[in-house]
Amino acid sequence: MANTPIIEVQHITKRFKGLTAVKDVSFSIREGGITGMIGPNGAGKSTTFNMICGYYPPTEGRIFFRGQDITSKKAYDYTNMKIARTFQIMKPLKNLSVLENVVASCYFGHAAAKNEHEARERAIDILQFTGLYEKRHILSKDMGTPDQKRLEMARALATKPELLFLDENMAGLNPAETEAAIELIRQINQSGVTIFLIEHIMQAVVSLCESVIVLHHGEKIAEGTPGQVMNDPYVMEVYLGTKGGAAYA
Amino acid sequence: MNNNVKAVRAYRRNLSIALGLILLVFVLIPVFVKSPYVLNVFVLIFYMSTLSMAWNLLGGMTGQNSLGHAAYMGLGAYASCLLITKAGANPWLSALFAMVAVGLVAGVIFYPCFILRGPYFTLVSIAFGEAMRQFIINSSFFGRASGVGLPFGKDSLLDFRFMSKVPYYYVGLVMLLGIYLLMKKIERSRMGYALRTIREDEDAAAAIGINPTKYKVMAVVVSAMVAALVGFFYASYIRYIDPELMVQAKSTESVLPAVVGGAAYVEGPLVGGLIMIPLSEFLRAHFSAMLPGINMLMYAVVLITVIRFRPTGILGWYMHSKAKDFIDVKVLKKPPIEVLEAVELEKNRGKEA
């Protein structure tokens, strides 16, 4: 079991009409770890992410979850397989309170709450864990970006996932907020959740990920530890700039 | 903690007394009001608000703006009337049959339509209503344009047939309260949370494991069944139905109480119905003789004013108003929300232990 990767992506390609967004990408995600995906804007990161999460099927290729083919599963089947995701552009349930946002998630997934008491109690635990407890009665549309990003994570966690996909969860945060978000992701990982994340902030990728995949123009150009990837000459050229010194943008 | 428990109990007691008093007023109205016209307005309020609650489940809670609810109501009325007149069935049983039949029709027709999102669903619902009306006008089985009349006879609860308006008043009130409690139950259930998540964002709903199509179909079926029940009530009250029941304007009428009262709240249609229907009747009774159509014009002005200045409806305004703070704190003695929450959690822990 430990040797089977939790997710295995085999040669996936996505074409939108004439445009090839992702071309023949393969990689795997190790259970229990934190894997990152980086790449310049338009590299196909979110497309890859959405294919793995069932939002649109790949044109070619297959995706396996613990050895089982999930290529054609629908997005709403994923929480029952203990997989949850967040969105790059936050999708809070705007007109519901923060608490209700999380209660809604507690009602679904593989370990769905059976009644309202149970759902509320679990939601309160998750809000305490993610640091949103004090704001639970605010409408989610009235919160700032950092809190909405946290709410995205809280809603995903409420489905009790074993694998969590984070799509640019730190974009738009200041350094202190980024630090707090990194700490939260580390805690989630330590509680036994495998994490796959897309991130632009290098500081986060370097300090969190054990393995990094680099995409460029829809193709995988490198894979390895953050150190290996950052020293790859091609990666430096296309993504981090030609001079190694300017890497920490 | 003990003081908190006491405060919460006191608040609950005050709240039930207040609600009990309101209910008592409605129960006593027929005892003091003898005018059939006024009673008729109340019966109208009851069934139109119930229809609006049915709409609100789909429009307010799920965000699928239907403009075809008069068709569900009409189909419910036809299904029950035809069963009574052609097969001689008991009206109460025929009401059940009508609800099931209309629920099925709505589910089967709208299941493929929920691939459509947003305004397209609204268009389909309009087309559905008009198609049903045309079908009935052209079908001799349904009595074509001349409609179907229910048999007259002696007063009988079994046949749901009365000369006086008072029994209809009470049955209408019970129907309103029953549907309100059902909607309240749905709102707090898994289905309610699923519907509201879908209203806010379908992709976000899928991300937490909600199958949007499944829940939208559930909503449309429940909504259509409630509308069919209203249709049965209407037919039994008026004792004659015709295809005019299903015209587009009637569908719009079912939307108004919810929107004016506050579509985000289960109570919205009740508040809206209580205000808009007497207003509409008042304008009709007092102004329509002066200049034909002037009552509709005035009604439209009121409607536009409410939507322009209180887009979240009357309840949307009230929920964030000083008036609510005053009533909560001074009249009902509502403790702070933290206290309510702490007591509720404590109680649940006690239940589990």
Side-chain angles (χ1 to χ4, degrees), chain A residues 43-61:
Chain A
K45 303 185 298 292
S46 288
T47 307
T48 308
F49 203 89
N50 282 331
M51 279 192 284
I52 304 178
C53 292
Y55 277 76
Y56 27 74
T59 317
E60 285 162 27

Side-chain angles (χ1 to χ4, degrees), chain B residues 283-295 298:
Chain B
L283 292 176
R284 196 159 60 108
H286 288 81
F287 295 97
S288 59
M290 292 181 190
L291 191 66
I294 186 81
N295 57 319
M298 292 165 85

Side-chain angles (χ1 to χ4, degrees), chain A residues 34-225:
Chain A
I34 303 181
T35 307
M37 179 181 270
I38 59 173
N41 284 330
K45 303 185 298 292
S46 288
T47 307
T48 308
F49 203 89
N50 282 331
M51 279 192 284
I52 304 178
C53 292
Y55 277 76
Y56 27 74
T59 317
E60 285 162 27
R62 311 225 64 86
I63 298 155
F64 295 89
F65 170 68
R66 288 178 171 151
Q68 176 202 351
D69 189 341
I70 59 164
T71 316
S72 56
K73 286 266 189 200
K74 295 266 187 270
Y76 50 76
D77 288 327
Y78 276 60
T79 51
N80 282 331
M81 302 189 296
K82 307 181 189 180
I83 304 175
R85 71 165 293 178
T86 67
F87 290 90
Q88 177 182 4
I89 295 157
M90 295 88 80
K91 294 180 183 292
L93 314 180
K94 295 196 194 81
N95 296 309
L96 301 187
S97 74
V98 172
L99 179 64
E100 287 171 320
N101 263 267
V102 182
V103 168
S105 290
C106 290
Y107 266 120
F108 297 93
H110 67 99
K114 281 172 204 68
N115 54 50
E116 202 189 8
H117 299 316
E118 192 189 334
R120 287 176 82 89
E121 213 156 296
R122 254 175 56 191
I124 284 172
D125 285 345
I126 283 161
L127 289 173
Q128 278 167 340
F129 177 68
T130 48
L132 287 168
Y133 183 67
E134 300 300 324
K135 298 188 174 159
R136 64 195 180 282
H137 295 303
I138 299 178
L139 288 185
S140 62
K141 66 177 170 191
D142 295 336
M143 293 199 305
T145 303
D147 285 331
Q148 290 199 356
K149 295 261 182 196
R150 271 176 187 259
L151 180 59
E152 279 282 311
M153 267 204 264
R155 284 178 40 221
L157 286 175
T159 63
K160 289 196 177 173
E162 289 180 6
L163 172 58
L164 180 59
F165 287 86
L166 301 173
D167 192 352
E168 297 212 23
N169 211 251
M170 285 172 244
L173 303 190
N174 69 29
E177 289 157 1
T178 304
E179 203 53 53
I182 290 177
E183 194 44 46
L184 181 60
I185 291 173
R186 193 167 281 141
Q187 277 178 28
I188 294 170
N189 180 239
Q190 274 160 7
S191 73
V193 180
T194 308
I195 291 176
F196 180 70
L197 52 87
I198 293 184
E199 202 49 71
H200 263 307
I201 297 175
M202 275 302 163
Q203 174 206 356
V205 174
V206 172
S207 66
L208 281 171
C209 299
E210 57 173 51
S211 161
V212 177
I213 295 142
V214 188
L215 287 192
H216 182 54
H217 287 324
E219 289 178 69
K220 187 173 86 175
I221 57 167
E223 185 173 8
T225 64

Side-chain angles (χ1 to χ4, degrees), chain B residues 36-281:
Chain B
Y37 173 68
V38 176
L39 284 179
N40 174 54
V41 172
F42 275 104
V43 175
L44 199 59
I45 292 174
F46 294 158
Y47 75 74
M48 281 311 286
S49 301
T50 311
L51 185 63
S52 201
M53 278 197 279
W55 178 85
N56 204 32
L57 178 70
L58 203 56
M61 212 187 279
T62 323
Q64 307 296 312
N65 292 313
S66 158
L67 282 175
H69 266 67
Y72 304 136
M73 178 181 161
L75 283 180
Y78 268 98
S80 52
C81 279
L82 289 175
L83 203 64
I84 295 169
T85 52
K86 302 221 180 220
N90 176 281
W92 302 104
L93 286 179
S94 73
L96 275 180
F97 166 79
M99 287 172 74
V100 173
V102 175
L104 272 178
V105 168
V108 168
I109 289 187
F110 279 93
Y111 178 72
C113 295
F114 276 126
I115 300 163
L116 305 170
R117 287 192 188 186
Y120 297 103
F121 169 74
T122 311
L123 292 177
V124 170
S125 72
I126 294 173
F128 170 75
E130 196 53 27
M132 286 299 158
R133 194 171 74 90
Q134 294 297 340
F135 171 69
I136 285 175
I137 288 177
N138 290 298
S139 156
S140 59
F141 182 74
F142 286 91
R144 296 191 192 269
S146 53
V148 181
L150 281 179
F152 285 83
K154 272 195 307 227
D155 280 11
S156 148
L157 182 63
L158 193 67
D159 289 329
F160 196 25
R161 183 166 65 200
F162 302 98
M163 287 303 288
S164 153
K165 296 197 186 300
V166 176
Y168 291 108
Y169 179 98
Y170 285 116
V171 173
L173 185 61
V174 168
M175 175 174 78
L176 179 84
L177 290 176
I179 298 300
Y180 170 70
L181 292 176
L182 173 74
M183 293 297 164
K184 205 71 193 158
K185 183 105 186 138
I186 289 176
E187 186 195 25
R188 306 191 69 176
S189 70
R190 171 176 311 188
M191 179 174 164
Y193 277 99
L195 298 182
R196 278 178 289 166
T197 306
I198 291 167
R199 176 187 72 198
E200 299 294 330
D201 195 308
E202 279 189 32
D203 285 335
I208 61 171
I210 296 167
N211 177 344
T213 310
K214 174 179 148 193
Y215 279 97
K216 282 195 278 189
V217 170
M218 277 164 75
V220 85
V221 168
V222 174
S223 184
M225 286 174 79
V226 174
L229 177 68
V230 175
F232 160 74
F233 179 83
Y234 172 90
S236 307
Y237 179 56
I238 307 290
R239 306 211 71 74
Y240 166 75
I241 54 172
D242 66 10
E244 282 305 290
L245 189 57
M246 302 163 84
V247 293
Q248 186 54 45
K250 294 275 179 199
S251 289
T252 318
E253 267 176 45
S254 73
V255 179
L256 294 184
V259 172
V260 170
Y265 305 90
V266 173
E267 294 80 3
L270 304 183
V271 174
L274 212 49
I275 294 168
M276 293 311 276
I277 290 161
L279 178 76
S280 151
E281 287 297 311

